[in-house]
Amino acid sequence: MEKRSSNPRHVLIFPLPAQGHVNSMLKLAEHLCLSGLYVTIMNSEHNNEQLVRYVDLQARSSQYQGFQFKTVPDGVPVEHQRTGYNFMETFEAMKMVTKPIFKEMVKGITPSLNCIIGDEALEFVLEATIEIGIPVLHFQTSSSCSYWSYLFILDMIKAGELPIKGSEDMDRIVTTVPGMETFLHCRDLPSSCRVDDMSDLNLQLMNCTRKTLRGRGLILNTFEDLDGPILSQLRRRSSNVYSIGPLHEHLRTKLIEQKHQTHQSSKSLWELGRSCMSWLDKQPSKSVLYVSFGSLAVTTKEQFLEFWHGLVDSKKRFLWVMRANSVSKREGETEDYPPELVEGTKERGFIVEWTPQEEVLTHEAVGGIVAGVPMICWLYFADQQINSRFVGEVLKLGLDMKDVCDRKVVEKIVNDLMEDKREEFVRSAAKMAELARNSVSEGGSSSHNLNCLIEDIKLMIGSITITDESQIQHVLR
């Protein structure tokens, strides 16, 4: 770890209050701390209460000098369901309630801030920092391909490619996103694009991505060999693009290199169900399909049962993360399930409410991208549509099961991945895993880019470089 100067450089990091965003930005915070920077994490009060239950925040703060947590309200009631499409209400609430509180808090933080790293999804962070005069970097926690497509939402509307005109229009090619003109379909666009009203709040949130070009730079949780063509396109329009991922593997590597504490403690907003690890230990190598819909998705009972039937009927082993609130229930609906599903799960499956996901993905029985195992993608909302297209069509790392929820399809696609096309996908995933590890090793592209980011932060003075929509349009041409 670098020595502290008498005038420490101080960064504030503000993630969107969702599990995936908080997790990756906490990893970024640790990277910066290891490099001698002071870091303040701004959490929503609701998420901080969740973290305190399952994470020793005091121990985490004391691990690094100048590392602290601060909280702000997210603007929605305590009882609000922060899952599914209900989560989208948080954006407007934070703009109205959180922004003015955040703005005043920032002014009083000591030592004074020389930079703010805001979640790309939080538009108001940019607005507040412009008013205060502190330089801002944006962190894109989702994929590079989704970010790149979001930048051209307005162009799609102007070109008449949006709105999408019914189900028969879903396979129409979208031509306004540079580099994706030959394979991007309407059905691959974010779910927010599937609206008739172009003033729809969720669509406008996607369009707000353009405003990130007004900041000092963009941080991406990816690496050059995975997203090189898109990163090249971005760098033609922005000089400061830092691809520093995969962050979890990068942090693990950095901790080992610096002979620092190598145990990465939990960053989960939910209690981890560790019983699944003992079950995995008893399974054959590469035999288990890991199934997770993440922290926000909510399925109907019908969808849930179709997936369950497909998994059991595939005769393959599976570990399924099923949060208590991940299945919506209609009034009077019971939780009685067909006995063949219950028995089939006892034989070959394991269902748990939440898992230590990074441990699961690197377990010998499962694996992940860095561990070299492919994916099946089924979509819910946001960036997942375009991610699945890239996984299946561009990167060849798995199968895209978009807009389908049928037990026979689930059964077939599981068998395709785990048996019929297994060798083909495993080779592709193993190659990408090696490239990912190389990128975060000493001298690798992500390691180099992280060093550049840290040095640039230390030199930051002043505020923004692009000020209005006309300049953004010029940059995107």
Side-chain angles (χ1 to χ4, degrees):
M1 190 188 304
E2 291 190 6
K3 292 182 179 179
R4 305 288 174 176
S5 68
S6 58
N7 183 26
R9 312 306 279 167
H10 188 188
V11 180
L12 182 141
I13 296 179
F14 197 163
L16 180 75
Q19 174 69 65
H21 295 248
V22 172
N23 192 25
S24 56
M25 293 186 84
L26 276 173
K27 287 182 170 64
L28 174 62
E30 288 195 56
H31 272 295
L32 300 185
C33 287
L34 286 167
S35 300
L37 299 173
Y38 279 21
V39 177
T40 295
I41 295 284
M42 187 72 75
N43 254 333
S44 72
E45 292 172 351
H46 176 269
N47 275 8
N48 196 68
E49 289 178 6
Q50 292 289 101
L51 275 173
V52 167
R53 292 181 188 178
Y54 310 120
V55 179
D56 188 342
L57 294 187
Q58 185 174 0
R60 178 175 289 277
S61 297
S62 62
Q63 187 177 357
Y64 303 106
Q65 185 181 358
F67 189 26
Q68 63 179 338
F69 289 84
K70 289 191 177 294
T71 62
V72 287
D74 61 13
V76 294
V78 173
E79 66 276 8
H80 187 274
Q81 290 294 313
R82 295 166 172 83
T83 56
Y85 285 93
N86 290 327
F87 183 79
M88 303 304 287
E89 297 171 12
T90 307
F91 287 95
E92 195 65 18
M94 291 188 78
K95 188 171 183 178
M96 297 296 294
V97 176
T98 311
K99 178 184 173 181
I101 298 172
F102 166 72
K103 184 177 170 183
E104 289 304 311
M105 286 182 67
V106 165
K107 294 176 183 177
I109 289 178
T110 56
S112 59
L113 297 168
N114 68 301
C115 147
I116 292 176
I117 299 177
D119 196 308
E120 178 272 329
L122 294 177
E123 177 194 1
F124 75 85
V125 174
L126 173 64
E127 295 173 351
T129 52
I130 288 174
E131 295 169 17
I132 299 167
I134 299 175
V136 61
L137 291 161
H138 288 99
F139 187 97
Q140 174 69 15
T141 59
S142 56
S143 65
S144 301
C145 58
S146 65
Y147 174 80
W148 183 239
S149 64
Y150 294 169
L151 286 174
F152 293 91
I153 293 290
L154 184 59
D155 300 81
M156 294 178 207
I157 296 172
K158 289 180 177 177
E161 295 192 315
L162 291 178
I164 300 169
K165 303 172 180 68
S167 58
E168 69 282 355
D169 204 29
M170 295 296 280
D171 290 317
R172 172 169 51 82
I173 289 284
V174 176
T175 63
T176 46
V177 184
M180 300 185 188
E181 302 94 336
T182 60
F183 62 83
L184 187 67
H185 297 86
C186 287
R187 71 171 66 254
D188 302 320
L189 295 175
S191 53
S192 301
C193 293
R194 301 182 183 187
V195 294
D196 296 325
D197 181 6
M198 294 296 94
S199 64
D200 181 87
L201 174 60
N202 294 333
L203 180 62
Q204 292 305 311
L205 284 170
M206 298 295 102
N207 192 36
C208 285
T209 299
R210 300 164 71 90
K211 295 183 180 180
T212 59
L213 295 174
R214 299 169 67 186
R216 282 292 190 89
L218 179 69
I219 305 166
L220 295 158
N221 188 10
T222 187
F223 55 101
E224 301 294 324
D225 285 312
L226 180 68
D227 280 322
I230 291 175
L231 294 171
S232 178
Q233 292 269 12
L234 280 169
R235 288 189 176 111
R236 293 192 191 113
R237 295 155 173 89
S238 174
S239 58
N240 298 319
V241 176
Y242 310 93
S243 57
I244 63 172
L247 270 171
H248 65 287
E249 181 67 11
H250 200 167
L251 181 58
R252 188 187 71 82
T253 301
K254 186 70 69 175
L255 290 169
I256 292 172
E257 286 176 355
Q258 296 194 9
K259 296 181 173 56
H260 202 270
Q261 179 183 342
T262 57
H263 173 67
Q264 297 185 46
S265 58
S266 169
K267 302 172 181 66
S268 178
L269 302 176
W270 287 277
E271 185 175 8
L272 300 177
R274 300 199 62 87
S275 56
C276 66
M277 302 306 295
S278 299
W279 181 81
L280 284 174
D281 289 341
K282 301 172 185 176
Q283 310 309 312
S285 174
K286 310 300 183 188
S287 67
V288 177
L289 181 73
Y290 176 59
V291 185
S292 175
F293 295 155
S295 60
L296 296 178
V298 177
T299 69
T300 64
K301 185 176 180 180
E302 289 81 2
Q303 289 172 323
F304 168 62
L305 289 175
E306 289 299 307
F307 272 109
W308 201 356
H309 273 288
L311 290 169
V312 170
D313 294 346
S314 74
K315 309 298 183 186
K316 298 295 183 290
R317 294 175 174 85
F318 62 92
L319 170 60
W320 193 352
V321 179
M322 184 59 59
R323 305 183 329 269
N325 60 352
S326 61
V327 180
S328 62
K329 298 183 179 67
R330 290 192 290 263
E331 188 175 350
E333 201 168 46
T334 67
E335 291 190 357
D336 294 333
Y337 299 121
E340 65 270 21
L341 296 184
V342 176
E343 290 304 312
T345 301
K346 288 179 181 178
E347 291 175 17
R348 291 179 297 278
F350 196 95
I351 296 177
V352 64
E353 187 164 347
W354 201 246
T355 65
Q357 182 163 277
E358 289 172 22
E359 290 183 54
V360 169
L361 288 174
T362 55
H363 194 282
E364 176 65 19
V366 183
I369 290 182
V370 173
V373 171
M375 296 171 282
I376 295 173
C377 300
W378 181 76
L379 305 319
Y380 182 65
F381 69 173
D383 62 319
Q384 295 170 352
Q385 271 78 9
I386 194 168
N387 292 348
S388 69
R389 183 65 171 165
F390 263 69
V391 166
E393 179 68 21
V394 181
L395 303 174
K396 309 295 185 184
L397 292 173
L399 297 169
D400 181 1
M401 196 176 74
K402 190 180 280 109
D403 297 328
V404 176
C405 189
D406 176 85
R407 65 187 68 182
K408 292 296 183 184
V409 174
V410 174
E411 178 185 353
K412 181 181 185 306
I413 209 165
V414 167
N415 278 308
D416 280 347
L417 189 81
M418 300 290 285
E419 188 172 328
D420 299 340
K421 301 179 181 179
R422 178 184 177 87
E423 293 305 315
E424 170 190 346
F425 288 125
V426 166
R427 281 196 300 270
S428 295
K431 180 180 178 180
M432 194 60 72
E434 182 180 3
L435 293 172
R437 288 190 289 269
N438 290 341
S439 74
V440 300
S441 62
E442 186 174 359
S445 61
S446 292
S447 179
H448 170 76
N449 292 339
L450 177 63
N451 291 336
C452 290
L453 169 64
I454 291 164
E455 290 308 308
D456 288 348
I457 287 173
K458 291 177 180 178
L459 295 172
M460 278 189 181
I461 300 172
S463 191
I464 61 172
T465 56
I466 298 178
T467 58
D468 58 32
E469 177 62 27
S470 63
Q471 287 181 274
I472 292 173
Q473 276 289 88
H474 177 73
V475 167
L476 287 176
R477 290 193 188 103

